[in-house]
Amino acid sequence: MQDDKVVEGKVRLARILGERMEKAFYPAARRSFTSETDVGTAFYAWAKAHELSFAENRHVLNDVIRKYVCFRLQLASKMARDLSAESHFLSSAFEGHLDFDTTRSLMSEFDAAEKAASLFKGPDFFTKSAVFEMLSLMTAEVKESLLPAADFFAPETEGFVHEARRILDLYIESLSFCDPDFRGRKGKLPLLLLKAIGTDLGLSQGNRIMESAKTMVPLDEMFSKMQKTEEGLPDTRFIYRYMLFRAYVPAFFASYLWQRRDMRDSIAEGILQSPSVARWVRRRVAAGDLLPEDIPVRQKMYLKIHMFMRQWAFFNSKNTRAYYRYFPDFAMRIADKASGDAFPAAAMKLMRELGKTREGNKRPFSKEMENFLIEETRDYVIQTAHTIYFTYGLSFRKPDDFVVSTLKELPIKHPFLAGIKKIFGL
């Protein structure tokens, strides 16, 4: 990969990782680290069991938990700033991504949240005395003494600090590959980074799933033209579900090449988040043609798509030969199956599933529509195989792919010099 492409790709991946980090802490902030429930439920039970004066006052209990969750999010943000302070790259990568309140409603709940978070300093970010001071600040706003609940909030806060540190370490590790001065390392790419690579790949494929593989005309226009002459054509819901299927085709093929099944969802999500797809969905929802409940990918639908994609199950990630990384094998094996006698029946079986109404009734397809869907799906599958293969060849696959050429160590060709270098550990 050329240096300018490496730099551009690293910038995109850093942005994706930053955006994901913003959303990573809210679930942890709502979680209890002393029970299997959320922190609110755990506190209600603890307050009642220990007969706190406000144990039966639901308003006060809710107020306490909202302030505590607000504090947790502020603490995580403070930890991120502290851990990135010594790295100019990390500080710039975190900039603009440190508001962890994804609901945009909690950060105003606790006026002294920032002051409370400042009490917890590195490297451990936890002391029991800091918990007492934090509870004193909350007491001043709640107007009820929370110091008797220190035995509840101390282990809860310590558990959250450990979890926040774990999450931050994962993101810092993945972001380190995006540092302009990254010089490589041994081993595999971290999972978070692989998922970001998948999202980036998906974002670049959005336009392809919206256009006919045969004519390059937008799919909804193709269906609209046929609607004027054909009976029993599918509605907007089917078009969207057909696009969902098309989003998973490159996701499956890419997961074969990277040999990482856990990249699959991130690739499909990237496609669905791409500007062209997101705009189309918003317009259809606004027009009332598509309902909000139609948008999520249900497990049953995913399984139907998975069953269709199983015809390429010979791409086995456990196969040490990994023969499918060789282009003729990869593209030709896919094309052979797509051109085989069994493909039309398999394609139409899936189309009928995608075309079911919300009540579960099957919609009829005219013969002309069946032929169009079979040919369009076949062409799309074959073209996608080619596209994903060449995208894979130009993408990040191993740590060395993140190193620009000016930072790569030049090989020593002379054996004598190589020996000297080895002796002195250079």
Side-chain angles (χ1 to χ4, degrees):
M1 202 186 321
Q2 295 179 350
D3 282 356
D4 58 338
K5 298 297 183 184
V6 172
V7 172
E8 291 172 7
K10 289 167 77 165
V11 169
R12 292 196 306 272
L13 292 176
R15 176 182 54 78
I16 291 170
L17 287 167
E19 291 173 353
R20 287 195 171 172
M21 185 181 71
E22 282 185 84
K23 304 172 185 177
F25 291 94
Y26 184 75
R30 296 287 304 174
R31 171 184 159 196
S32 169
F33 293 90
T34 58
S35 70
E36 297 299 319
T37 62
D38 63 89
V39 67
T41 304
F43 181 57
Y44 301 155
W46 193 94
K48 190 172 183 178
H50 289 77
E51 300 180 346
L52 296 187
S53 59
F54 52 86
E56 300 297 331
N57 190 330
R58 206 68 172 178
H59 173 75
V60 172
L61 292 171
N62 288 340
D63 193 26
V64 169
I65 289 303
R66 288 180 67 82
K67 290 182 186 300
Y68 182 62
V69 171
C70 172
F71 155 73
R72 278 182 166 184
L73 294 173
Q74 191 64 51
L75 176 57
S77 182
K78 191 257 186 189
M79 291 172 65
R81 284 193 298 273
D82 288 358
L83 291 172
S84 63
E86 296 182 2
S87 167
H88 174 72
F89 168 72
L90 280 178
S91 296
S92 60
F94 282 178
E95 188 177 354
H97 299 295
L98 293 177
D99 183 359
F100 299 150
D101 179 19
T102 55
T103 66
R104 300 294 181 261
S105 64
L106 285 171
M107 295 310 279
S108 60
E109 287 290 327
F110 186 16
D111 294 337
E114 190 172 348
K115 183 178 180 180
S118 68
L119 300 169
F120 295 78
K121 297 177 174 61
D124 296 329
F125 295 102
F126 178 81
T127 60
K128 197 162 185 179
S129 61
V131 174
F132 281 106
E133 293 183 62
M134 179 268 293
L135 290 175
S136 296
L137 292 171
M138 287 179 62
T139 294
E141 295 188 21
V142 175
K143 309 302 183 186
E144 293 279 358
S145 177
L146 297 176
L147 293 178
D151 288 341
F152 172 81
F153 285 107
E156 283 286 349
T157 303
E158 186 175 16
F160 176 76
V161 165
H162 290 319
E163 177 65 6
R165 183 61 188 265
R166 184 189 70 82
I167 293 171
L168 284 168
D169 286 346
L170 290 174
Y171 278 96
I172 289 172
E173 179 192 20
S174 293
L175 280 165
S176 69
F177 287 79
C178 303
D179 191 326
D181 295 328
F182 179 73
R183 296 174 181 270
R185 68 176 63 169
K186 295 181 180 179
K188 297 180 179 180
L189 300 179
L191 178 59
L192 275 180
L193 183 59
L194 282 168
K195 289 186 174 182
I197 291 170
T199 299
D200 186 47
L201 169 62
L203 288 168
S204 69
Q205 298 295 309
N207 288 336
R208 291 192 67 255
I209 76 160
M210 301 286 293
E211 297 176 343
S212 166
K214 294 178 72 69
T215 64
M216 304 300 289
V217 174
L219 276 176
D220 54 349
E221 288 186 23
M222 294 287 294
F223 285 121
S224 296
K225 290 176 182 177
M226 298 180 74
Q227 188 82 45
K228 297 175 182 177
T229 57
E230 299 292 342
E231 295 294 331
L233 287 183
D235 57 9
T236 301
R237 184 169 179 267
F238 169 80
I239 298 174
Y240 173 70
R241 287 159 69 90
Y242 183 56
M243 288 180 180
L244 284 180
F245 154 67
R246 288 165 72 101
Y248 273 99
V249 173
F252 271 80
F253 288 163
S255 70
Y256 298 151
L257 289 171
W258 265 273
Q259 299 188 62
R260 292 299 299 255
R261 184 175 181 177
D262 42 18
M263 288 180 67
R264 195 173 292 166
D265 288 342
S266 62
I267 297 168
E269 288 168 6
I271 293 174
L272 298 175
Q273 292 167 6
S274 63
S276 55
V277 177
R279 276 195 305 269
W280 185 88
V281 171
R282 283 197 301 268
R283 285 199 305 267
R284 295 302 184 179
V285 171
D289 300 332
L290 198 63
L291 299 180
E293 55 264 32
D294 295 331
I295 295 173
V297 182
R298 307 294 181 188
Q299 184 178 17
K300 185 176 180 181
M301 180 181 170
Y302 176 83
L303 290 175
K304 297 296 182 183
I305 295 172
H306 185 268
M307 290 297 292
F308 176 80
M309 297 301 294
R310 280 188 63 188
Q311 59 191 298
W312 292 288
F314 50 81
F315 296 123
N316 182 2
S317 62
K318 295 182 181 179
N319 182 357
T320 55
R321 292 175 57 209
Y323 60 86
Y324 51 84
R325 291 193 176 188
Y326 177 57
F327 172 67
D329 267 357
F330 184 79
M332 289 172 60
R333 295 287 294 270
I334 290 174
D336 287 347
K337 281 282 187 179
S339 304
D341 295 338
F343 184 85
M348 283 314 302
K349 182 179 180 180
L350 177 62
M351 296 305 115
R352 291 188 183 96
E353 288 293 334
L354 299 180
K356 283 184 177 180
T357 65
R358 294 183 183 90
E359 295 76 27
N361 301 320
K362 292 185 178 180
R363 291 184 180 274
F365 290 106
S366 66
K367 189 63 179 176
E368 289 77 10
M369 178 54 100
E370 286 191 10
N371 291 337
F372 168 75
L373 288 172
I374 291 168
E375 291 302 316
E376 174 62 32
T377 302
R378 176 184 289 119
D379 290 346
Y380 176 73
V381 165
I382 294 173
Q383 289 180 22
T384 300
H386 286 71
T387 300
I388 294 301
Y389 177 83
F390 286 113
T391 301
Y392 170 79
L394 298 173
S395 188
F396 298 105
R397 307 184 304 277
K398 56 186 184 300
D400 284 349
D401 293 335
F402 287 83
V403 185
V404 295
S405 61
T406 54
L407 295 178
K408 289 183 178 177
E409 184 180 5
L410 295 176
I412 297 178
K413 297 181 180 179
H414 199 289
F416 176 74
L417 293 178
I420 294 295
K421 182 176 179 180
K422 185 175 182 181
I423 291 172
F424 289 96
L426 301 175

